[in-house]
Each structure stands twice: as C-alpha cells, then as structure tokens.
Amino acid sequence: MKQFLFFISSVFLCYNVYSQPNCNAYLYHGDTLKYEACLESEKRAGHYQFSREYQEALDSALKIDSSFAYAYKVKSTAYLKSGDFIMWKALIDKAVEYDPEGELFYRGWCRYQFFRDYEGAIADIERLDSLVDYDIGFGQNGDYHLEITRALCYKAIGQPEKAISIIEQKLSDSTYFASPYDYLHLGVLYLEEGAQDKAIEALKKQESINDLAENRYYIALAYRQKGAMQLHRENLAMAEKLYKKGMKMHDPYTTHMDKIYLSQIEEEMENGLE
Amino acid sequence: MNPIVSIVGFMLNRLPYPILLIFVIFSFLSSCSSEKQQSKYLRWVGDIEGDSTLDDPAFKLCHSELITKQYFHVGQGLLYDGEMLKIRDIFHSKYKSVDINQSGWIRIRFIINCRGEAGRFRVIESDENYQSRAFDSKITEQLIAITKSLDGWQPLPDAQNPEDYYQYLIFKIQGGDLIEILP
C-alpha cells in the first residue's frame, strides 16, 4: 500500500498538471503558426517536466512560434521548482508578455508562493483584476483565491487592516466558498491585531471547515490572552494530536504562511503551566 | 527510387552480418553522443555536475546520478530534523546583517545523499527584479558557511530506502538583512 501511495504521489508530482491546449482551436481561429507550435509542444508528452526531452520539445515549439505563451509557461515550471528564480522569471515574463490575461495569475501566485515577492504578487494580481471582468480565480495549487493571496501579501508588507478588509469582503461574497485556509489566516490576522473574540470566531469557523493543528494552536493563544486556561490547554492538546496525525498546513514544495511546528505547540503548553 | 539510396542499400546488403552489426551499433552510439553534445540541457533542469575544483572529495552519491531525485518527489516537503523552524532558527541566530544597500534573492542548491550528507553546493544570486547580480561576499559567504554546517538532513524517502536528492534554500535579502528563508 505504501509503495502504491508513493507511486501515485510520484506520478502527480513528477508530471505537471497543466492541461495541454486544444491545438485545433488555434487552427479554428486561423493561427496556423500557433497550431503547428502547439502540435510540436505535444512531443513532450510522457517526459518529466525537468527533463532534456521535455525542454527541447518546447524549444522546438518556440522556434516555430516565439509568441506561444503556453510553451514559455510550461518551460518555466522546472526552473521554478528547482529554485532558479532568474530563468523562471525570464520565461514567465515572456508568457505574460504574450498572454497577460491567461498567465498573470500564475506569475502572481508563484511570486507569492515560491519567492515571497509580496509587492510583485500584488502588482500582478491587481493588474489581472484590471484586465478582466470575470473572477480572477485561484492560485496554481487551488488552495487560495487570488484575492486571499493578495490579502496575505498586504499583511506581509505591514498592512494588516487592508488584508483583513480584503478577506472579509471575499468571505462575505455569497457566491464564494471558503478555501481550506481562509478562516485560519483571518483568525491569525485578528489575533495579531488584538481582536481575540473575532479571532476565536474565525478560528472556530476554520475548525468546522478544515480542522488543523494551526487553528487549534492559534485559538489556544487567543484563549490564553483572555485568561481561559482550560480552553487553552484543551486546544493545545488537540493541536498536538492533529499535528502528529498530519492534520496540519502542508505543501510539498513550500512553507505556508502561519504554519506552526510541533516544538511551538510544546513550548506553548509549557507557557500555560507558568 | 533515389539512386544514392539504391547504391547504399546495395552495399549494405552485401556486408557480412558481424560488420553490419558493428556499423549499426557504432552509428547508434555516435548519434547518441552527438545528440548529447548538441543539447544545452543536462539530464534534468537544476542538475549539478561534480566539479573537483569546487566540491569536497569526501562527498559521494550513494546511487547513480541518473536516479537522483528532487526533495518534493515524495510530497513530504523539506526533510530536516526540527523542520523549517529549526533551519530558520539556525540562520537567524548565526547570520550577521551586513550594512549594505543590496536586496534580492540568493539560492544555494545542493545534493543530500542517502546518508543525509550534503555536497555540490552551487549559488545563484539576483536583485529584487530577478536580474542576475553578485551580492557582497560578506553576505554570500555567511550563507554558504551556515548552509554547509546544517547537519539534520533526512534521507529521502525514509531510513529504510534512502536515496540521493536535490535540495535548495533560498534567502530573501533586504538591505543586507536576511528576511525570509524558503522553500
């Protein structure tokens, strides 16, 4: 079973999940050059996105049409995941140059997730919002709406009130369903601003949607600040239990904002004994 | 039929089988070799070739270069005793800010072998616009030294089946201060 899970996770992690565009669509719109480039890019099928064969197939596609934004983006991903911010940025900039509406979401999200380039991410997300009249959508891994991402970037550059306002507005949208970490981040923001009651309310909502070690840890901090030491202890015990069960913020590539670690839970348990 | 193709076909038909076999194998190998020489890519993006002028001769991979993985291949994130929190604590306690107007990112990429040893350290640096630049050596030398001193790397995927893998650390620098450690 373990080997099966390893195999499945390897497959999902090793092969990128961008859907290949329908090459015939380019033909339908009369763009035969992009159609041919698109067909050429399909030769990377079955090759790992880091591999020579994968990269060379995309180079061949770009020789046919140097404005094929999709090829730049899928070429960039191996550089992103290997931490080569210089090559990644050069490639993704080309993709954005030729298809800003289609690729700004990816560049903005990656600037936040992989490089903590908060100002750059805000600029990309806000530019995308100015270009389109539809929902700007989610970051690449699907865990964060780009509005929530934008809010976290504002928090990181020292504008927590703006971050709270953006998240509150998004969560009040009746057409929006909260994502796995939205209420957690909102709760942490309230807590950091000294609004314990609001923090507890948000973190309880997080508990009902996606109960994690993190929301239990932060709610324990809020209870300690209010002097509710029994609730502090109970939630820390639950945080420890969830952490050890793997119910915590996790991403295979990067580290989440507001993530906590076992040693922090243990340290806070000792604080409660003082 | 093209007369040249006809002549080559006629000659190949009359070659003894062992010579023909050697000819085919030689052609295949030379085509593979020339293909590799012509490519600007290594096996994978981010691969690090050993360099005796840079690398610790004591550092060895446990397996072939061809099966060295990436840290995220088993989906467990960064594998270090004490996790990323420990790495942050080490850097923040050891790194001394440099009073200089330089900002951007520094990546140190390396390989962790099956014994949890790190080697083949390589550095890239950029300014805050992702343009290649060199930071003051007082910054980079500290980061390299601290990275090389890390001794809590865990094998991938587990102690029973250890493999070699690539890992990197990215340091976000603002005005000579270390403000973020990634991934």
Side-chain angles (χ1 to χ4, degrees):
Chain A
M1 183 62 183
K2 194 175 175 185
Q3 284 183 331
F4 174 73
L5 289 173
F6 174 78
F7 171 75
I8 293 295
S9 65
S10 297
V11 168
F12 278 98
L13 289 167
C14 288
Y15 291 90
N16 69 3
V17 291
Y18 305 128
S19 54
Q20 169 73 20
N22 180 354
C23 297
N24 288 320
Y26 297 116
L27 199 58
Y28 178 78
H29 289 103
D31 191 342
T32 52
L33 205 58
K34 209 156 263 92
Y35 168 72
E36 287 169 17
C38 183
L39 290 181
E40 188 68 22
S41 75
E42 288 182 339
K43 290 180 180 172
R44 75 191 193 287
H47 294 291
Y48 178 33
Q49 64 185 183
F50 273 56
S51 72
R52 177 190 303 136
E53 295 80 2
Y54 190 98
Q55 295 290 324
E56 285 176 343
L58 293 166
D59 288 345
S60 298
L62 288 167
K63 273 184 190 164
I64 295 169
D65 183 349
S66 62
S67 69
F68 187 27
Y70 174 81
Y72 288 113
K73 178 174 78 175
V74 291
K75 251 185 90 61
S76 77
T77 306
Y79 295 94
L80 176 79
K81 292 179 182 175
S82 65
D84 187 343
F85 34 77
I86 299 171
M87 276 298 292
W88 171 74
K89 185 62 166 37
L91 289 163
I92 199 65
D93 280 358
K94 283 285 187 186
V96 169
E97 178 186 342
Y98 294 116
D99 184 10
E101 290 182 19
E103 306 301 354
L104 270 169
F105 90 95
Y106 182 70
R107 190 175 73 179
W109 165 253
C110 293
R111 288 171 103 161
Y112 164 73
Q113 188 193 2
F114 284 83
F115 307 120
R116 292 295 190 257
D117 175 7
Y118 305 114
E119 290 87 352
I122 290 170
D124 279 348
I125 295 168
E126 292 184 349
R127 186 178 157 210
L128 174 63
D129 195 37
S130 74
L131 290 176
V132 302
D133 58 2
Y134 49 81
D135 185 344
I136 55 174
F138 287 76
Q140 180 65 25
N141 68 7
D143 285 344
Y144 289 87
H145 192 279
L146 290 176
E147 276 294 285
I148 306 295
T149 310
R150 189 168 74 97
L152 297 179
C153 290
Y154 275 114
K155 171 186 170 176
I157 61 171
Q159 297 185 44
E161 300 88 356
K162 185 161 189 170
I164 289 172
S165 169
I166 293 168
I167 298 177
E168 284 178 340
Q169 192 176 345
K170 192 66 196 167
L171 291 172
S172 68
D173 179 348
S174 61
T175 64
Y176 176 70
F177 293 95
S179 290
Y181 310 113
D182 291 357
Y183 279 104
L184 169 64
H185 292 301
L186 182 61
V188 175
L189 271 160
Y190 284 140
L191 188 63
E192 289 169 350
E193 291 300 292
Q196 291 96 351
D197 290 335
K198 282 185 162 184
I200 290 168
E201 187 184 348
L203 293 166
K204 281 188 172 175
K205 280 186 181 166
Q206 176 66 39
E207 181 184 319
S208 67
I209 293 169
N210 184 24
D211 196 10
L212 300 168
E214 278 81 3
N215 51 278
R216 295 291 188 155
Y217 172 80
Y218 288 111
I219 205 169
L221 297 189
Y223 282 129
R224 179 160 66 85
Q225 289 175 12
K226 288 173 68 70
M229 298 312 289
Q230 179 63 27
L231 289 168
H232 173 258
R233 281 190 294 276
E234 286 173 11
N235 279 284
L236 281 180
M238 182 56 84
E240 184 184 37
K241 186 178 171 185
L242 289 170
Y243 195 95
K244 288 179 176 174
K245 282 173 68 179
M247 302 291 287
K248 56 187 177 180
M249 298 182 99
H250 176 73
D251 182 273
Y253 301 103
T254 56
T255 309
H256 283 275
M257 183 183 284
D258 297 329
K259 176 176 170 54
I260 54 104
Y261 298 89
L262 189 58
S263 60
Q264 290 173 294
I265 298 170
E266 290 166 348
E267 192 177 318
E268 183 58 26
M269 283 174 162
E270 288 175 16
N271 288 340
L273 298 175
E274 289 170 359
Chain B
M1 181 183 283
N2 184 324
I4 297 173
V5 173
S6 301
I7 292 165
V8 171
F10 175 81
M11 290 172 67
L12 288 177
N13 277 334
R14 274 148 185 78
L15 283 173
Y17 181 73
I19 294 174
L20 185 62
L21 191 63
I22 290 167
F23 174 76
V24 169
I25 290 170
F26 179 78
S27 302
F28 174 75
L29 289 176
S30 62
S31 73
C32 290
S33 172
S34 63
E35 189 178 304
K36 192 174 179 182
Q37 282 168 3
Q38 284 168 7
S39 179
K40 63 180 178 182
Y41 300 104
L42 298 174
R43 173 200 64 148
W44 284 356
V45 166
D47 273 3
I48 301 169
E49 293 183 296
D51 183 338
S52 59
T53 65
L54 298 171
D55 301 325
D56 179 354
F59 177 75
K60 305 283 183 201
L61 297 185
C62 302
H63 307 286
S64 162
E65 306 262 355
L66 298 175
I67 58 169
T68 306
K69 292 191 161 62
Q70 309 289 333
Y71 74 95
F72 52 80
H73 274 169
V74 293
Q76 295 175 15
L78 186 138
L79 293 167
Y80 194 86
D81 295 336
E83 304 180 74
M84 181 53 106
L85 185 67
K86 181 70 178 174
I87 290 179
R88 285 182 189 151
D89 287 346
I90 292 169
F91 276 92
H92 289 308
S93 66
K94 291 186 175 177
Y95 179 82
K96 306 294 178 203
S97 291
V98 179
D99 187 15
I100 194 165
N101 185 26
Q102 290 185 344
S103 301
W105 292 270
I106 297 171
R107 182 200 73 176
I108 301 179
R109 187 169 166 85
F110 45 93
I111 300 177
I112 311 294
N113 70 14
C114 71
R115 293 179 288 278
E117 301 160 345
R120 295 198 195 173
F121 297 88
R122 300 290 187 272
V123 180
I124 61 170
E125 306 164 76
S126 84
D127 63 16
E128 58 268 64
N129 295 312
Y130 301 85
Q131 300 301 304
S132 180
R133 67 92 57 83
F135 277 87
D136 187 289
S137 63
K138 290 193 286 294
I139 295 174
T140 41
E141 284 174 11
Q142 279 194 76
L143 294 174
I144 292 168
I146 301 168
T147 302
K148 286 183 174 178
S149 75
L150 296 174
D151 60 0
W153 294 109
Q154 297 169 359
L156 185 84
D158 54 55
Q160 282 71 46
N161 185 28
E163 296 182 71
D164 307 320
Y165 65 99
Y166 284 97
Q167 181 67 58
Y168 69 80
L169 293 173
I170 289 178
F171 307 94
K172 187 175 178 186
I173 306 292
Q174 195 168 68
D177 294 333
L178 174 57
I179 59 167
E180 299 260 9
I181 302 172
L182 307 160

